[in-house]
Each structure stands twice: as structure tokens, then as C-alpha cells.
Amino acid sequence: MKHAHAQSRDSVKMAAGQQWVLVEMVQAFYEAPAYHLILEGILILWIIRLLFSKTYKLQERSDLTEKEKEELIEEWQPEPLVPPVSKDHPSLNYDVVTGPPSHKIIVNGKECINFASFNFLGLLDSERVKLKALLSLKKYGVGTCGPRGFYGTFDVHLELEERLAKFMRTEEAIIYSYGFATIASAIPAYSKRGDIIFVDEAACFSIQKGLQASRSFVKHFKHNDMEDLERLLKEQEIEDQKNPRKARVIRRFIVVEGLYINTADICPLPDLVKLKYKYKVRIFLEESMSFGVLGEHGRGVTEHFGVNIDDIDLISANMENALASIGGFCCGRSFVIDHQRLSGQGYCFSASLPPMLASAAIEALNIMEEDPGIFRVLQDKCKHVHKALQGTPGLKVVGEPLAPALHLQLENSTGSRTNDLKLLRAIVDYSMDRQIALTLARYLEKEERFLPPPSIRVVVTVEQTQEEIERAAQCIREAAVKILK
Amino acid sequence: IQGSGTEGSSHFLQEGQVLEWIHHASCTSLYKKPFVESFEETPLLVAVLTYMGYGILTIFGYLRDFLRDWKFEKCHLAREREEQKDFVPLYQDFENFYTRNLYMRIRDNWNRPICSVPGAKMDLLERVTPDYNWTFEHTGNVLKDVINMGSYNYLGFAENTGTCADAASECTVKYGVGVSSTRQEIGNLDKHEELEILVARFLGVESSMAFGMGFATNSMNIPALTGKGCLILSDELNHASLVLGARLSGSTIRVFKHNNMQSLEKLLRDAIVHGQPRTHRPWKKILILVEGIYSMEGSIVRLPEVIALKKKYKAYLYLDEAHSIGALGPRGRGVVDYFGLDPSDVDIMMGTFTKSFGAAGGYIGGKKELIDYLRLHSHSTVYATSMSPPIIQQIITSMKCIMGEDGSTLGQERLCQLSENTTYFRRRLHEMGFIIYGNNDSPVVPLMLYMPAKIGAFGREMLKRNIGTVVVGFPATPIIESRARFCVSAAHTREMLDKALNAISEVGDLLQLKYSRKNRHGNEGSDSFSFLESHQD
């Protein structure tokens, strides 16, 4: 009873209190200045208008009716899938090789001496290599039917990786099943958006694709010009000082080739290593042309200059030139190489190298290790060819004396690339008629960043005899005189 | 075509969490036989437990990193050189967190070395690890006759005896192994031309071209076909090679939901009506990228609908048949044959030789103008070494076998065997109560595991029972949808499949993997397998 009474008294007090607040409010309303009330009224009306007005998106053109959309869809005409190609495009019909691409190669029905395949150590027709490949075929079949992660790792692959690492005197090596994909997968595995790569202008196409896939900042320096590179590095240093926190996480790389395929000269590796330690940049070295060619034991440009191999962060090469197999490899310290096993796209998402090709590569390595004199022979032949081709009227030899793949460019260009190519093709055809197989160096004209001038590629192999080299030089001289007069 | 006959004529059966699409042959004119795919939803409890599992692993990962940093625990990771310690670090710590702390624990399920033919049975090299998977040692023992449910050996051509191997041996002796030059220079052998003519005949197209690596076929040719100002519509779950090729081309890329025709149509309409972003200029061309069989899901592309859409909106179609060539269709000609369509409707037919032909490499087939253009402008013909001759011979021999041109019925027998094996295997797994993804006709069978610990456990338990399986987790799949993936092969006999199925059932009971809540026996509506088996020739 008392409790209820107390409750009702409280509620009366509360009601009174509430009434009291209401009265206060009404009083305040009357006492407020007029402009204040008007402003608040306008604000309330504005809010009500906004709440009820139509919203519109920025992207859609809401003024198109369905009928107009159908008309647009009817009218739209795409370009043809591919632009038409004329029937007499010079590169459309390939030269057909019947039979094996060995020292005596049959091109378009004519037997010629091979000065065009990158068969530097002559291992394409080695009987030992073929035998080992056959044994492997009888044991494993042809294909691997899976990527490395899913039962595509064969003991042959592991053996080849160990042998390559031992040969190059690094900790670890990793194999790819396609030469082009090797450096094109290695670069994006380490360098991501925001990182900086300094690359030579004459870098080959697979490096360019790797750079494009990595989405990093790319800075080109003039070919083999260390001062230009140092200038770029100094500019970067100044940038870093402006923003030290960002500079601590941006990775920097220099990508160079040991022996450039486009210009046939060697990179100045000792200077690069000095720049590496001065500006704290990592070096990636692409050795497709110099592996199995330079150096006392064929270990490439690091052996040639006597540079410590641990100073180079990553060496990448393809096994399709000197090793006469298919595929590519990267070697270096485990710290660097192991990362590619999970993030190299061409390694993880692609089937592994067929085991017979890996066995062929192992046997080729065996041959290289057993007979280191072969590299001396190759280097002598290169010098010989370089000398023999000097003085050809109308053609200049581009490349160092040690390079196994030289370029012959026109001394005076006609002014148009198509005409230059026609002249050079005429020289090649003339030589093929006289049983010397040569080839034009091929490029994708619209896609290359720094398109090299048109040239003929002359490749030196250990199987070429003195007499054959003399004959080839003579033939080219005659062709030049006849066609370029 | 909007709605494409699916809404009106299909049943959406909802039994708890199950959604199944069944097209009855009589209702739609596009599909000649039922198209049955199922992707059962993750049970809620399982999803919660999976997230908890990952959470616990992450906490332990941080703990172990802390211990390693403060030298309480020995660190097995390779370290940077002393001379280069003040360089910018090559890897960020958090980039490798997943690799260091989760992948390392179950690393022994991948990269298992084999030392025999990757056929229906294989020999594995035994590995032991003294320090919890940081390093491996080979004991020298060989695990013999492990049943291979992981290699992509759909038609059983991975063999070292028989006509294919003999022909490849002869070719090795005659041609050698390497080529050392590009197609445009002096690497174009007569064998390459022979192969290309054969592939064109096999596919039913005008002309074709072969390349040395399947991955590179995509990444080097898509940039040659499209460029800036073009639009690429790519499926959500496309392979890394297609994504890389699309990125390298420089075109605008838009992604549509996996196998979802409404999403694709909406993107097409928006693209044509609104043009390029901001300038509203019309697109130069539109290219649709799809795959024949998606290898992580086991689903087959809805090709009749895609072709209908492409014809209506004048887009171009790029079909990647890496897994489906040779494995689908009554004559083994891939997904086009499976649906009974005309090969000239697909503008660019791409595929690989690695899976059904037991070799390596890829091809592109299409009209003569397309192939002539690619001969000039593909990155591969100008800069990459051409294919090795014994590989080409293997492809030629196996392709002739499938076509029946070698005089035997071996090819046809293998195609029938594969189709029977697939149906049997899927039906038995379905009956046992596992959640299987994908189309009933696809030889790729993903079995859901979900929880991270079960990934490792499944792989190891199956190996103990002498069965080699493939397990996949993040990042190849979404984080809670880890799975085991089986690849059925024509070389598997009924006994091998039964042995594998018994082992899977045992391990499934042991690890409690039988999550499925569908009806096992009973109403006709959901028993799609009996419908299929009764209609199989």
C-alpha cells in the first residue's frame, strides 16, 4: 500500500516534471528571436526536400531508353579479329628444314653448312646425348603429365638441378621447361609494383616481357654505358633522401645480359659489381648466350672476368643454346632461388620439363665437364670468324671477337627498313644457293622498345672447320659485292 | 536469349543447403543432353571450424616468428649474405608469413619425386624429414606401385612402351633432341608443319599452330591479338596463364562470375552501350576468355550459351581447352565435340598437349587469316625456340591413335573407358557422402576438405594406403575451400578405382569428411546419375 502510494507520488512528480520541461520549451519558443526561427524552419524544409528528391548515379547515362540501347548494340561493328596479312609478306613462309638441324643442314631442299643455329658446342648431333635421351624415354615415357608440385618432379629434374648448381658453383638451381619463360618468370617473382629496375637498352625481348609483367618502374640506361647508369643511380639516391621511409622498402635491381644477343658484346661486370655495393642494388644476370661459351670452364661471364659468383644475386640462362636441349634454369643462393618455387609463374603453373630432355641436358653437362678444352677451341673459332668477316664491302661486323653469334649490318642503310631487309634477304638467299645456311635476325618490329637495325646473324660452332669458315666468308663477300653495288 | 532458357525450364532444388541445376533435354534447344553441375554450399559449422582453425594457426605462427626472432628457436630459413645485410630486404616478412608458418607444416604433400612413368601406377621416392619439413632426405627406398590419382593422364598415353614410345625413339635417333633456333629463323622443321596440319584436321579447323609450352601459348599470343582499346571479358576462375596474357596485352579486363551467363551478358551490354570508360569511344574488339574444363572446380563451360551470346553481341571467343581436349566428347575432340557444336563458331581454339597426349606444348587453331597473322606476330615464333622433335612425334602418334587412323580401335576404347571411369568414380563418391564439385562428366573430381589440418592429414593417410593424391589449399583456392583433386584416367582399371575408393572411404570416416547433406537414394529429381547412366551409349 505504502509502496504503491509512493510509486504514484513519484509518477505524479515525473509527470509534473515532464510538464515542466514542456512548458519551458514552449516558453523558449516564444522568447527566441525571429531570424533564428526562420532559419530553423528553412533548414527543416530543406532536409525534407533532400529526403524526397531522386538520387542519381554518376556512371549510368540514365537518359538512354531500352530501344536506344538495342540500337547501339545493333550498330556496333568490331574490328576484324586480325588485320589482313598480304600473301607475299616476306616472313610468312618459313624456311623448312628437312631432317635434323645439325652441322650439315638441309634447308628448302639444299644441303648447307649450318651458320644459323645456336649450336655453339656442336651437341645437337652428339650420339652420347641421343643415347641418354633414348634410355630416359624407355624408362619414363615422353611427357610428365603434371606441374612440379603434383607428381611432376622426377628424380632426373632433381639431378639436373644439383648438377647445374655444382657446375656453376652456386647453392641451388631451378629448372624451367621453356627458355623464354625463365627470365620472364624470374623477374616478376622478386620485383613488384613500386620497385625500381635499371635495365640496359639492348636487353632481349624475354627480359622486356618480364619487366612488363612485374609492373615495376623501369629505367633504361644506354647500352654498356656505366656513366649513364651511375647518373640514374645518383638521381634515385637524391629521390630517396627526400622520402627515407619509403626508400627503405623499395627494392632495386639491375638487369643485364652477360653477352647481349642483339649487339653481341659483353657487359662490364666488374664495374657493375662496384656500382652494386656503392648504391645497394641487386644484380640479375641473363647468361643465355654466354653460358657454355665464355670462361675457362664455360661457366659464363663471371668466370671470364673472375668475379665471385656470390656477388651476383641471380643468374638465369636457357639450355637451348650451348646445352642443345630445351628449357632454362636460374641459379644462385638458396635464399634467392627458393622463392621461385612458390612464386615463379612459369614454374608453378606449367608442366615440368620432359625427362628425356633433362637427361639430354645432364649428358651435355657431362661432356662439358669432361673436356674443358672445347671452350678454348670455340673462342679461337669465334676470333677467326670475326677476323674473316672484316672488310666485307657494304657490310659491317657488329660484335666482339669472342661473341659466338655476330651480326652483319648494312654500312649504309637505304633509308627504309623494308628495303634493308630485302637486300639482306637477297644476300642470305645467295649464300643458301652456295650451301651456306644463314638467317636474318628476327624482331617484332612494333613491340620492341629499342628496335635494333636489320642484320644477318652469323653463328660460330665448334664443328665448323677452317676451310668452311673461309668458304663462308668468301661467299658473303661475293654476295655483298653483287647485291650491294 | 536473355535468361537463355535456364530460368523457365530448369529446376532449382533446394534441400537444405543444396542447389543443383538440371537442364532437361527436351526444354532447351541449346543443350542436347542434360548439363548437371553441383556446387554444394559449405555447411555452416564446418565454415566456422575452418576459420577457427586458421585463426589458431595464425596465432601460433606469430608465436613461432617471435621465438625465431629472439633466438629461442633455431631458424632454418636461408638468410641474406653478410655483405648485403644493409640492402633493402628482398622479401617482406608478412609476404612469406603464410609460407613459413602454414605451408611448411604440410609441405611433404607436394613436390613428391617420382622415378617411373606417371601412368596409372607410379613409383615414388621415399622422403623423410628430420626437422619438420624444413629439409628432406631421400632414404633410397622406393614406394612401388602407388596408384596415381594426381597426374593429368586422362587417356593413358603416359607410357614407355607401345607405338607412341617406339615412334618417339625413332625420331630421337633421327632428329636428336634440341633445335636451338626459333621458328622464323632456322628452327622450322618439316615435323612442325606435319604436326600443324594434323592438329588442324583433328580439331576440324582451317589451320593451326603449335608452340613449345602451354603456359607460354596463352601469355604470348593473347598480347598479339588484342591491345589498347580492346576489352577482355575473362571468367573469374581463369588460369594464371590467361590472366598473365590478358595483363600483358594492355587491354581493359573485366571479370564475370564463374560460368554465369547473366553476368557475362550484362557486361557485354554495358560495354557496347557505354563504350570505353571516360571517353565513351566504341571498343575496337571484345574478346571472351573461357576454359573448357576448369581444373580446380571440375566445371565445364556453358559453351552453347556463350556462343549464342558471342554471335548476338559480335564478340570473339577464345577457348582454352587445356584439360578438355581429348578428355571430353564422344570422339575426343574436346568441349566443342561434347556439346555437338561447330568448331568454326569458336574464333580461337587453344589447348595443350601435356594432358591427354602425354607430351608437352600447346596449340592454337582457327581460321587461316588468324594463323597467318600469328605466324608473323606471335612472340613465340620470333623469340622462342621451337618444339623438340621427339615430343612432336609423340603428339602425332597419340593424335592418330585417338582419331583411329593408326588402324586400331585403341583410341575409341580409351575414350569410352575414360567416360565410364568418370561416371563410376563420381557416382561412388557421391554415394559415400562426400561433397564433390563440378560437372558429372568432367574427369577432374574435386573433393572438399575445408579444414587446414585435414589437407595434410588426407594427403598423408592416402599415401600410407599407397594412393597418391593431390591436395590444394590457399592461394590456389579460396581460403576455406581447400580440396583434394582426383584426375580419373582411362588407364585406371575397375580394381584400381575400387581400391582407391575404399581407401578414400576409410580416410573419409577417419577424418570425418563426409559432409554432404544431399539425399543419397530416393527421388528421381535429384538422382541425376541414374538418368545419366541410363542414357550413356
Side-chain angles (χ1 to χ4, degrees):
Chain A
M1 204 42 184
K2 251 199 190 161
H3 187 64
H5 192 60
Q7 262 191 343
S8 63
R9 213 183 22 217
D10 281 341
S11 59
V12 164
K13 250 201 212 152
M14 253 172 50
Q18 275 169 351
Q19 250 183 350
W20 177 247
V21 170
L22 208 59
V23 164
E24 251 195 12
M25 268 174 62
V26 173
Q27 227 177 9
F29 195 69
Y30 276 121
E31 285 175 5
Y35 69 85
H36 189 96
L37 291 173
I38 294 172
L39 206 58
E40 297 230 6
I42 293 177
L43 228 51
I44 290 174
L45 285 173
W46 189 257
I47 290 173
I48 294 175
R49 178 171 174 263
L50 279 178
L51 279 174
F52 285 108
S53 74
K54 229 170 52 160
T55 51
Y56 52 94
K57 290 186 208 144
L58 289 168
Q59 287 293 353
E60 260 177 42
R61 285 209 310 233
S62 52
D63 44 333
L64 284 180
T65 62
E66 276 306 313
K67 184 158 160 300
E68 282 167 344
K69 287 189 186 172
E70 289 296 329
E71 271 175 24
L72 278 170
I73 292 176
E74 275 294 316
E75 281 169 13
W76 180 67
Q77 276 301 122
E79 277 181 10
L81 180 56
V82 287
V85 167
S86 80
K87 274 202 194 21
D88 15 286
H89 196 287
S91 312
L92 187 57
N93 299 312
Y94 298 155
D95 294 321
V96 181
V97 173
T98 10
S102 52
H103 178 61
K104 293 227 168 28
I105 190 174
I106 305 178
V107 185
N108 295 335
K110 300 183 272 261
E111 185 176 308
C112 307
I113 311 284
N114 193 347
F115 276 85
S117 313
F118 291 130
N119 182 15
F120 305 138
L121 300 178
L123 293 172
L124 274 185
D125 14 68
S126 157
E127 284 307 317
R128 272 174 68 175
V129 170
K130 283 190 201 172
L131 197 62
K132 270 284 156 54
L134 266 180
L135 288 173
S136 181
L137 172 60
K138 292 212 170 17
K139 185 174 176 198
Y140 297 107
V142 177
T144 56
C145 297
R148 286 290 291 258
F150 303 151
Y151 304 109
T153 306
F154 284 59
D155 43 358
V156 206
H157 296 138
L158 298 174
E159 194 189 330
L160 179 57
E161 285 178 358
E162 262 179 60
R163 291 292 303 278
L164 281 167
K166 212 168 76 176
F167 179 77
M168 295 293 285
R169 298 207 192 123
T170 58
E171 279 179 19
E172 200 173 325
I174 181 175
I175 306 179
Y176 285 81
S177 54
Y178 202 50
F180 188 98
T182 312
I183 190 74
S185 303
I187 296 180
Y190 300 100
S191 183
K192 314 277 183 200
R193 201 192 285 268
D195 297 330
I196 303 178
I197 306 184
F198 301 96
V199 69
D200 193 297
E201 275 179 358
C204 66
F205 196 69
S206 44
I207 296 182
Q208 291 174 31
K209 286 294 127 186
L211 297 173
Q212 195 185 350
S214 74
R215 299 198 255 213
S216 318
F217 287 124
V218 177
K219 304 204 168 145
H220 294 267
F221 61 91
K222 293 201 190 50
H223 177 56
N224 270 354
D225 188 346
M226 290 298 107
E227 273 128 27
D228 200 32
L229 175 57
E230 187 147 13
R231 175 185 62 88
L232 286 173
L233 287 167
K234 279 210 177 75
E235 275 174 22
Q236 184 57 37
E237 217 180 14
I238 299 174
E239 279 291 320
D240 288 342
Q241 276 157 4
K242 288 187 199 151
N243 193 345
R245 190 182 293 173
K246 198 166 127 189
R248 256 185 304 212
V249 290
I250 299 180
R251 295 172 275 235
R252 302 127 219 274
F253 303 96
I254 299 179
V255 179
V256 281
E257 286 182 47
L259 214 159
Y260 288 89
I261 190 170
N262 289 341
T263 55
D265 48 10
I266 305 181
C267 74
L269 198 58
D271 297 330
L272 279 168
V273 173
K274 282 203 200 83
L275 284 176
K276 164 183 169 161
Y277 285 110
K278 187 167 167 198
Y279 293 96
K280 316 239 181 299
V281 198
R282 294 176 200 266
I283 300 187
F284 284 178
L285 189 60
E286 219 281 327
E287 287 221 72
S288 293
M289 300 292 280
S290 51
F291 179 76
V293 172
L294 294 178
E296 201 190 314
H297 293 99
R299 292 198 180 99
V301 78
T302 46
E303 202 183 20
H304 179 78
F305 283 115
V307 168
N308 179 6
I309 197 137
D310 282 335
D311 278 335
I312 312 293
D313 293 273
L314 180 100
I315 297 185
S316 147
N318 71 17
M319 304 196 284
E320 292 158 357
N321 299 339
L323 280 180
S325 179
I326 304 274
F329 69 92
C330 287
C331 62
R333 297 184 66 243
S334 291
F335 174 69
V336 180
I337 298 295
D338 211 41
H339 182 71
Q340 280 179 53
R341 294 201 193 270
L342 283 179
S343 49
Q345 292 225 315
Y347 181 82
C348 302
F349 295 110
S350 171
S352 47
L353 186 65
M356 58 185 292
L357 299 174
S359 301
I362 296 179
E363 190 58 24
L365 261 183
N366 285 344
I367 294 178
M368 276 168 67
E369 281 179 353
E370 281 165 20
D371 182 19
I374 204 175
F375 304 112
R376 184 88 233 155
V377 172
L378 179 62
Q379 282 160 23
D380 285 337
K381 288 215 164 62
C382 292
K383 289 191 196 129
H384 187 80
V385 169
H386 187 89
K387 210 171 78 178
L389 288 173
Q390 297 288 352
T392 319
L395 290 176
K396 62 177 181 208
V397 178
V398 173
E400 287 199 14
L402 278 180
L406 301 163
H407 288 267
L408 285 170
Q409 288 175 12
L410 288 171
E411 255 174 27
N412 308 310
S413 159
T414 58
S416 105
R417 199 183 168 93
T418 340
N419 286 341
D420 284 348
L421 282 169
K422 277 208 188 94
L423 288 173
L424 291 171
R425 179 79 217 181
I427 298 182
V428 169
D429 287 333
Y430 184 94
S431 311
M432 292 241 228
D433 282 335
R434 284 166 185 56
Q435 275 121 24
I436 303 286
L438 292 171
T439 178
L440 285 174
R442 304 281 181 172
Y443 304 102
L444 275 175
E445 284 155 21
K446 297 205 183 64
E447 309 266 342
E448 285 261 9
R449 237 195 127 106
F450 300 97
L451 186 59
S455 62
I456 299 178
R457 193 170 268 152
V458 181
V459 179
V460 186
T461 72
V462 282
E463 290 178 319
Q464 292 157 356
T465 62
Q466 198 92 326
E467 185 250 343
E468 283 166 354
I469 296 176
E470 297 290 337
R471 217 176 88 201
Q474 180 65 18
C475 178
I476 296 175
R477 215 165 290 138
E478 276 174 23
V481 162
K482 186 159 174 237
I483 295 171
L484 295 176
K485 56 177 180 308
Chain B
I1 295 203
Q2 213 149 4
S4 57
T6 52
E7 267 106 37
S9 60
S10 70
H11 302 320
F12 279 73
L13 304 166
Q14 270 183 295
E15 304 164 350
Q17 312 275 38
V18 174
L19 277 159
E20 224 177 69
W21 289 268
I22 303 181
H23 296 236
H24 287 291
S26 53
C27 292
T28 58
S29 53
L30 293 172
Y31 290 90
K32 299 190 175 70
K33 54 181 169 181
F35 185 87
V36 186
E37 279 196 343
S38 77
F39 298 95
E40 199 176 322
E41 248 181 71
T42 313
L44 185 61
L45 179 62
V46 173
V48 167
L49 288 175
T50 311
Y51 280 122
M52 272 175 56
Y54 277 108
I56 296 176
L57 282 168
T58 315
I59 295 174
F60 266 90
Y62 280 120
L63 177 67
R64 298 290 283 274
D65 275 345
F66 174 76
L67 291 176
R68 274 192 278 262
D69 269 339
W70 289 89
K71 308 274 191 288
F72 289 118
E73 191 183 318
K74 188 166 127 188
C75 185
H76 299 269
L77 288 165
R79 286 275 184 230
E80 179 68 274
R81 282 176 81 203
E82 278 308 318
E83 296 91 332
Q84 291 179 213
K85 276 268 191 264
D86 51 349
F87 280 43
V88 174
L90 193 52
Y91 316 117
Q92 304 288 351
D93 275 337
F94 67 87
E95 271 171 10
N96 286 6
F97 182 84
Y98 180 82
T99 313
R100 269 200 312 277
N101 297 310
L102 276 82
Y103 173 74
M104 270 303 169
R105 289 172 177 267
I106 48 175
R107 195 162 81 118
D108 54 311
N109 288 308
W110 292 286
N111 294 302
R112 288 184 178 154
I114 98 175
C115 53
S116 73
V117 185
K121 288 201 173 168
M122 57 184 176
D123 299 335
L124 290 180
L125 287 177
E126 199 185 3
R127 298 190 291 183
V128 287
T129 166
D131 49 4
Y132 298 103
N133 288 346
W134 287 97
T135 56
F136 289 108
E137 278 161 20
H138 291 127
T139 60
N141 286 346
V142 171
L143 299 167
K144 285 213 162 290
D145 289 337
V146 176
I147 295 182
N148 187 351
M149 304 294 300
S151 290
Y152 304 133
N153 182 20
Y154 300 129
L155 291 178
F157 280 110
E159 43 192 15
N160 55 354
T161 51
T163 40
C164 293
D166 291 335
S169 303
E170 267 179 52
C171 195
T172 316
V173 171
K174 183 173 172 209
Y175 283 85
V177 160
V179 182
S180 299
S181 190
T182 67
R183 286 299 288 278
Q184 283 202 1
E185 292 184 10
I186 205 146
N188 182 41
L189 307 177
D190 49 352
K191 276 247 167 280
H192 291 111
E193 314 240 311
E194 193 189 328
L195 173 67
E196 289 175 356
I197 297 175
L198 184 64
V199 170
R201 211 170 69 223
F202 181 77
L203 296 172
V205 290
E206 276 178 31
S207 167
S208 81
M209 229 191 133
F211 305 94
M213 186 198 202
F215 185 99
T217 309
N218 281 332
S219 67
M220 293 195 199
N221 289 310
I222 298 180
L225 293 171
T226 59
K228 276 201 166 40
C230 303
L231 176 66
I232 292 186
L233 297 175
S234 150
D235 188 293
E236 215 176 8
L237 298 178
N238 267 341
H239 190 254
S241 56
L242 288 166
V243 172
L244 182 63
R247 265 184 46 210
L248 286 177
S249 69
S251 324
T252 314
I253 306 176
R254 294 205 180 137
V255 173
F256 62 93
K257 294 199 183 45
H258 176 59
N259 236 357
N260 187 328
M261 296 300 113
Q262 285 82 17
S263 170
L264 175 59
E265 184 159 17
K266 180 168 184 307
L267 280 182
L268 278 166
R269 288 182 77 85
D270 283 345
I272 301 179
V273 165
H274 297 293
Q276 298 190 26
R278 298 193 335 160
T279 57
H280 294 292
R281 288 204 197 100
W283 294 104
K284 289 194 196 153
K285 18 180 174 185
I286 299 184
L287 186 65
I288 305 176
L289 295 183
V290 287
E291 288 188 40
I293 293 185
Y294 292 90
S295 59
M296 280 300 155
E297 301 283 309
S299 51
I300 298 181
V301 67
R302 291 169 191 272
L303 197 58
E305 294 176 60
V306 175
I307 290 188
L309 278 176
K310 150 198 124 88
K311 282 185 179 158
K312 179 176 177 194
Y313 293 101
K314 295 182 260 202
Y316 298 112
L317 179 58
Y318 186 105
L319 178 64
D320 178 343
E321 292 205 79
H323 285 267
S324 53
I325 190 77
L328 281 185
R331 287 159 56 223
R333 313 294 163 101
V335 74
V336 168
D337 190 32
Y338 175 74
F339 287 112
L341 299 167
D342 182 9
S344 59
D345 280 337
V346 179
D347 301 288
I348 306 153
M349 292 181 74
M350 177 264 168
T352 60
F353 300 119
T354 330
K355 280 95 186 178
S356 302
F357 301 96
Y363 66 85
I364 288 195
K367 296 216 161 41
K368 192 161 181 314
E369 298 90 55
L370 168 71
I371 301 297
D372 281 344
Y373 180 82
L374 284 179
R375 276 191 209 284
L376 293 172
H377 291 98
S378 162
H379 304 181
S380 165
T381 53
V382 186
Y383 294 107
T385 312
S386 34
M387 288 172 82
S388 165
I391 313 277
I392 301 179
Q393 188 57 48
Q394 161 81 11
I395 302 168
I396 292 178
T397 328
S398 57
M399 204 175 262
K400 286 196 172 142
C401 183
I402 297 175
M403 293 203 284
E405 285 179 12
D406 61 340
S408 73
T409 52
L410 189 62
Q412 201 55 40
E413 282 168 25
R414 285 189 179 181
L415 289 166
C416 290
Q417 183 70 33
L418 175 65
S419 162
E420 266 176 49
N421 282 356
T422 307
T423 320
Y424 177 70
F425 195 72
R426 279 182 168 263
R427 179 173 63 81
R428 286 285 307 274
L429 282 178
H430 183 79
E431 280 169 8
M432 284 178 197
F434 293 101
I435 296 185
I436 313 283
Y437 273 12
N439 195 304
N440 283 352
D441 287 322
S442 101
V444 177
V445 186
L447 186 149
M448 302 309 288
L449 299 172
Y450 299 114
M451 302 188 195
K454 294 191 186 179
I455 306 174
F458 189 84
R460 291 172 190 150
E461 288 295 320
M462 291 301 286
L463 192 59
K464 278 194 207 144
R465 290 164 177 75
N466 233 23
I467 310 217
T469 52
V470 160
V471 287
V472 251
F474 185 78
T477 62
I479 192 144
I480 60 165
E481 290 175 18
S482 349
R483 56 202 74 176
R485 190 183 68 176
F486 302 107
C487 290
V488 181
S489 158
H492 286 134
T493 59
R494 204 35 94 92
E495 294 82 46
M496 287 186 215
L497 287 181
D498 282 331
K499 182 158 174 259
L501 285 162
N502 290 338
I504 296 172
S505 186
E506 231 182 282
V507 174
D509 286 326
L510 182 67
L511 297 177
Q512 293 185 3
L513 291 171
K514 298 187 178 174
Y515 300 117
S516 180
R517 303 221 210 123
K518 281 191 210 176
N519 274 350
R520 294 277 79 82
H521 322 277
N523 45 10
E524 288 151 15
S526 63
D527 198 337
S528 41
F529 287 99
S530 64
F531 183 83
L532 210 67
E533 270 184 86
S534 63
H535 282 238
Q536 206 164 35
D537 326 306

